[in-house]
Amino acid sequence: MTAHHNDTNTDTNTDTNNDTDTDTDLDTFRTELQRLRSLDVPTHGGSTFAYVYDSGRPDVDGLGLEALAMFGESNGLDPTAFPSLLAMERDLVAMAGEFTGAPAGFVGTVTSGGTESILLAVQTARDARPDVSNPSMVIPSTAHAAFHKAAHYFGVRAVVVPVGADHRADVDAMAAAIDGSTVLLVGSAPSYAHGVIDPIEALGRLALDRGVRLHVDACIGGWVLPFLDTAAPWNLGVAGVTSLSVDLHKYAYTPKGVSVLLHRDPSLRLPQFFACADWPGYTMLNSTTQSTRSGGPLAAAWAVTRAHGRSGYAELARRAHRAAVTFADAVPEPLEVVAAPESTLVAVASRDPQVDVLVVVDEMQARGHYVQAQLAYGDTPATMHLSMSAASLDVIDAVIAALRESVEAARELGPVTVDPGLAEAARSLDPATLSDADFDGLIALAGLAADGGQPALPTRMAEVNALLSVATPALRERLLVAFLDRLTR
């Protein structure tokens, strides 16, 4: 978990009297919106390395926002009422298919984001096999957490297989995990945590041999890898790949939230659709998990992708990749890059226990560069994660200089330590046995509560993340759920 490095009061309890009259000054609300927006990390400038992506083209960004507003009140629920959205969706799917090596006859659907695309891929694989009473999917341990969410939602058991020493899917281990309940295999291009591409060709052969579907999660790489000469085979052009997801609100640089889920042919996609006529209202017909969905993000994506075009995206991809490689090559001792960046992602660990990478994350954020902490998992230590954008190349020298300063500051501060008794408790506590009051106490111990016990966003996260790192994944999940619950009350 990460937090924004500011001390600004985030109280949003403003006067929202619904009885306003025509004399209301709307600029008052615009001013308040600007104040609230100032609390957030910047979405442009190239120094926010998580959650947002910056092309460095404000003119194209402006076009996207115009389209977002123009179609914000349209509704993708019914294409007969809004045929414009259907036309734009077809165009987006066609471009995604072109970029990802889709064969003739492929089909696709625009979704709200990568998680929804993954959810639909899992749901479709499940519903395509009604003969399997207890379906499962075989996924590498580096597969995105959205697959675990899909398992939770749809009752498709996730069989998690450890990856190899190179952080890539272990094909032999995945083959051994397949049984009669398996309805889906998963590979990443690349995996989010380490930025490496799974052996998709070998997974495709395995999928064909065993007669199961193979989904490639290219949500973060699918709009970059087509333009990098170094990319290993990864897309729908690989035999055995039946579906692929790619997010446009990442490296297509469109406003949130737009993703595309592609299937090799219509028969593979058909179980994705939902229809219900067994009620007295309109016949519900959905291609995604949503019914009503604003046409704004779709229209914005259509406009932005047309404005950049293939040649524009080729240059943007090269710039983002160059930023990743430049940064990785400059990482100072005792930090080390976990894996050479194959796309735009860089994960950095520390070889020296006296230079705590979680402290480095805080120090980078204090210097205006928003990077992401990834907590320790299994044999993998905690890491600092950066998703480079095209605009990051313009500031990469300043980022590298800030990293060197942050390493020295972390060395002077020393590592974050967790009280041994608290660490042992974090490793041994069963979250199922804890009461609401127990979680209140743990939230306070984790440093996630302000005076009076109310939850608060901390300005530095190293101490919090150090405690979360020693907790079991189950306790970590429950503690953060409890914090989110209280934060949103």
Side-chain angles (χ1 to χ4, degrees):
M1 179 171 179
T2 54
H4 306 153
H5 51 280
N6 61 63
D7 299 307
T8 311
N9 186 346
T10 58
D11 182 10
T12 60
N13 185 21
T14 57
D15 181 6
T16 55
N17 185 352
N18 291 328
D19 296 327
T20 54
D21 56 30
T22 54
D23 293 330
T24 298
D25 183 2
L26 298 182
D27 285 340
T28 300
F29 302 115
R30 293 189 181 96
T31 299
E32 178 62 5
L33 286 170
Q34 291 169 353
R35 183 191 74 82
L36 292 171
R37 179 64 186 88
S38 71
L39 305 178
D40 301 337
V41 296
T43 56
H44 293 83
S47 283
T48 299
F49 298 100
Y51 309 124
V52 297
Y53 302 83
D54 182 8
S55 69
R57 288 286 306 275
D59 54 338
V60 180
D61 293 343
L63 173 66
L65 294 178
E66 288 178 32
L68 188 70
M70 187 182 300
F71 286 84
E73 294 181 337
S74 62
N75 190 340
L77 174 60
D78 188 344
T80 66
F82 296 95
S84 62
L85 302 184
L86 176 62
M88 288 187 284
E89 180 167 14
R90 286 172 171 167
D91 286 345
L92 286 174
V93 167
M95 179 178 275
E98 175 193 349
F99 285 5
T100 60
F106 79 96
V107 293
T109 309
V110 172
T111 74
S112 65
T115 292
E116 187 181 17
S117 290
I118 287 169
L119 291 175
L120 287 169
V122 174
Q123 171 255 309
T124 303
R126 181 200 68 178
D127 291 351
R129 292 292 309 274
D131 55 307
V132 178
S133 58
N134 183 29
S136 68
M137 56 181 164
V138 176
I139 67 174
S141 59
T142 51
H144 195 278
F147 288 99
H148 296 271
K149 188 174 188 178
H152 176 70
Y153 280 5
F154 302 132
V156 179
R157 181 167 43 90
V159 180
V160 181
V161 177
V163 296
D166 59 358
H167 307 290
R168 304 179 204 276
D170 184 331
V171 179
D172 290 339
M174 291 182 68
I178 296 173
D179 61 23
S181 71
T182 305
V183 298
L184 184 67
L185 302 179
V186 169
S188 301
S191 61
Y192 182 85
H194 305 118
V196 297
I197 301 170
D198 284 334
I200 303 301
E201 280 189 313
L203 288 174
R205 290 191 294 270
L206 176 62
L208 288 171
D209 181 58
R210 301 297 183 89
V212 296
R213 293 182 179 221
L214 169 60
H215 180 78
V216 173
D217 171 19
C219 286
I220 203 163
W223 223 258
V224 172
L225 296 177
F227 310 107
L228 301 182
D229 295 335
T230 57
W234 60 275
N235 60 21
L236 274 167
V238 175
V241 175
T242 54
S243 60
L244 178 145
S245 50
V246 53
D247 289 357
L248 305 191
H249 59 217
K250 290 188 172 76
Y251 288 102
Y253 299 104
T254 75
K256 309 290 184 185
V258 186
S259 177
V260 178
L261 173 60
L262 301 173
H263 282 90
R264 180 173 289 275
D265 63 57
S267 66
L268 291 167
R269 181 180 65 170
L270 195 58
Q272 172 185 312
F273 294 157
F274 176 83
C276 180
D278 194 15
W279 76 302
Y282 67 94
T283 297
M284 178 182 282
L285 178 62
N286 301 144
S287 60
T288 70
T289 56
Q290 301 179 89
S291 289
T292 288
R293 46 184 177 138
S294 170
L298 188 152
W302 184 91
V304 169
T305 54
R306 289 300 171 282
H308 284 305
R310 185 180 185 91
S311 61
Y313 281 122
E315 176 60 20
L316 292 173
R318 285 191 288 267
R319 285 178 59 82
H321 181 245
R322 196 179 313 138
V325 172
T326 302
F327 180 85
D329 289 345
V331 166
E333 295 283 351
L335 302 186
E336 63 178 353
V337 176
V338 174
E342 297 184 353
S343 60
T344 58
L345 311 180
V346 185
V348 178
S350 176
R351 288 195 299 264
D352 184 350
Q354 295 305 307
V355 178
D356 190 334
V357 75
L358 298 177
V359 177
V360 174
V361 168
D362 279 352
E363 291 299 320
M364 286 289 287
Q365 294 182 172
R367 288 163 175 77
H369 303 287
Y370 188 86
V371 297
Q372 192 175 48
Q374 295 186 144
L375 305 186
Y377 174 80
D379 295 332
T380 304
T383 58
M384 176 178 67
H385 187 277
L386 296 89
S387 298
M388 296 290 179
S389 295
S392 301
L393 188 61
D394 294 331
V395 296
I396 199 64
D397 290 341
V399 176
I400 292 169
L403 178 63
R404 295 190 179 112
E405 292 178 7
S406 297
V407 168
E408 292 311 310
R411 194 189 308 274
E412 291 181 15
L413 290 169
V416 174
T417 58
V418 179
D419 178 83
L422 187 57
E424 179 56 33
R427 284 188 287 265
S428 60
L429 282 175
D430 179 0
T433 65
L434 300 179
S435 67
D436 215 40
D438 292 331
F439 279 109
D440 285 332
L442 286 173
I443 288 171
L445 285 173
L448 293 170
D451 293 340
Q454 294 300 312
L457 295 175
T459 57
R460 291 179 68 91
M461 286 295 301
E463 291 78 8
V464 175
N465 285 328
L467 177 58
L468 293 174
S469 283
V470 299
T472 62
L475 180 60
R476 189 185 301 173
E477 291 165 0
R478 286 288 289 113
L479 179 59
L480 292 178
V481 165
F483 173 65
L484 180 62
D485 167 55
R486 286 151 179 78
L487 193 66
T488 55
R489 286 181 186 176

